Amino acid sequence: MPMLENTRKQEESLWINPEKIDTEVHQTINEYSYIYLKAAQKRFMRFLPYIAEAFPETAAKKGVIESGLIEIPAMKEWLNTRGANLQGRVFLKDDAHLPVGGSVEVRGGVHAVLRIAEDLARDAELLVPGEKYNVFNKEAYRQLFGQYTILLCTGADLALAAGLTAEKLGFRVIAQLPSGEAEWKKQLLKEHGIVIREYEGDYRQAVSAAKREADADPKIFLIDKDSKDLFFGYSSAALRLKVQLGKMDISVDPEHPLFVYIPGDSAAAAGGLTYGLKEVFGRDAHCLIGESVSSSVSWKETLSGEHRMQDNPSEQKTGNSTADENFTEEMLRTLVSGIFQIDEESLNVYRKELVEKEQLFLEASACAGFAGPEQIQQKGTLWESYLEKEGLKDHVSDAVHIVWGTTGGLHEKVLKA
């Protein structure tokens, strides 16, 4: 597997997934059906009145948490000056400016917390069937949730999305973060009363310790990167993307394939988005994950299976954790079309050109996806082999390309402050 060696050397590379299968719309995938995606969407819909009140930036859209789908013709033109040969339309999915947390992590983080809050309210018989969910702003609910702690063993972006939501509801929140996270992100968490713990070293050891803590106390709920409630929260984005494309009269079908270049810095988000896109668009969606060669996620571990907790094979999901080790990996294994890695210099170039050409701001690490549309129609590459294998060479000129952005909106506000 050539890419595995390249990731170890931190070189740019492309890996085409030999295990990818064709999927139909609404197909059951690894025992998980379309119902799971719809359940997440319905939960968001129930909470719209609450979200609109708790997060005023969502009020104009009546509580809908969504980002723009922005066509970027100037960026396409610039990519073509670099030999891209792009003929289809190119868009940015601007999750960098999502309400609540300003990253691709928002939908998953918010959904995971809302699931916990809804279950607790029902168990306490506070929630009356048919009642509008703005009741979650009432003091009785805050007093209930104030008895519980949500422990986040995640990166800072996910901690912001889940943590700000949990804090608004009245939960006590602890964010267990890897050392080295940006100081401005930690400061923002602290400003919202979120307790920060930092750890050195391996994430698996940190999450194992967090699981033991949650298992020992029934009033601690753990959210980590393998939470299924995160995963299906991320996946719900595909349903709204379908609506956005429909409003633009953009078809997705065998003659008009959809290529989505997904940020790989969050394994759970990449997995959830991929699953959702395949459920909604089936075989006509081609999901490729882009990341920096120095990404902390290290997709080489996903490919090689190195990250499996072989040192703790008997560890099972217990207590208040919705995590399932290797869940995201197993869901991605037959769905993702490929993975590509980009060096830091290229990321900075993409970031600079996006600002200059489209006046849109992403952090450099969020720009890996732009290598996808730049390279996919280049001759004599693995990309060309993929198009041939999928029978797309005659249709790629009518394709829709979406670079899924993440992170940058909150940083932009900090820089302007």
Side-chain angles (χ1 to χ4, degrees), residues 19 81 132 168 173 176 387:
E19 297 183 48
T81 67
K132 286 189 176 182
K168 285 277 187 180
V173 186
Q176 188 163 298
L387 297 178

Side-chain angles (χ1 to χ4, degrees), residues 337-354:
S337 295
I339 299 167
F340 56 96
Q341 293 193 321
I342 305 301
D343 66 26
E344 301 297 329
E345 182 179 353
S346 296
L347 293 175
N348 283 308
V349 170
Y350 291 139
R351 182 198 60 77
K352 174 177 175 291
E353 293 298 329
L354 184 64

Side-chain angles (χ1 to χ4, degrees), residues 17 40 58 63 85 102 130 161 166 172 285 297 313 317 329 337 342 349 367 392 405:
N17 183 10
T58 70
N85 301 314
R172 179 171 180 261
V297 169
K317 182 185 77 171
E329 175 190 338
S337 295
I342 305 301
V349 170
C367 292
L392 296 170

Side-chain angles (χ1 to χ4, degrees), residues 296-335:
S296 61
V297 169
S298 185
W299 278 100
K300 70 179 182 182
E301 295 183 352
T302 300
L303 298 177
S304 66
E306 291 174 10
H307 76 302
R308 297 185 181 183
M309 297 179 72
Q310 295 173 354
D311 52 336
N312 289 299
S314 62
E315 185 168 299
Q316 302 292 324
K317 182 185 77 171
T318 57
N320 291 328
S321 170
T322 60
D324 185 359
E325 180 68 18
N326 302 324
F327 171 69
T328 298
E329 175 190 338
E330 293 306 317
M331 294 296 283
L332 269 177
R333 187 168 296 282
T334 57
L335 300 180

Side-chain angles (χ1 to χ4, degrees), residues 389-403:
K389 175 178 174 291
E390 297 291 321
L392 296 170
K393 290 199 72 174
D394 293 336
H395 305 300
V396 70
S397 60
D398 295 315
V400 174
H401 301 270
I402 298 176
V403 177

Side-chain angles (χ1 to χ4, degrees), residues 262-280:
I262 297 172
D265 283 350
S266 166
L273 289 174
T274 298
Y275 167 81
L277 290 163
K278 299 301 282 189
E279 283 284 7
V280 172

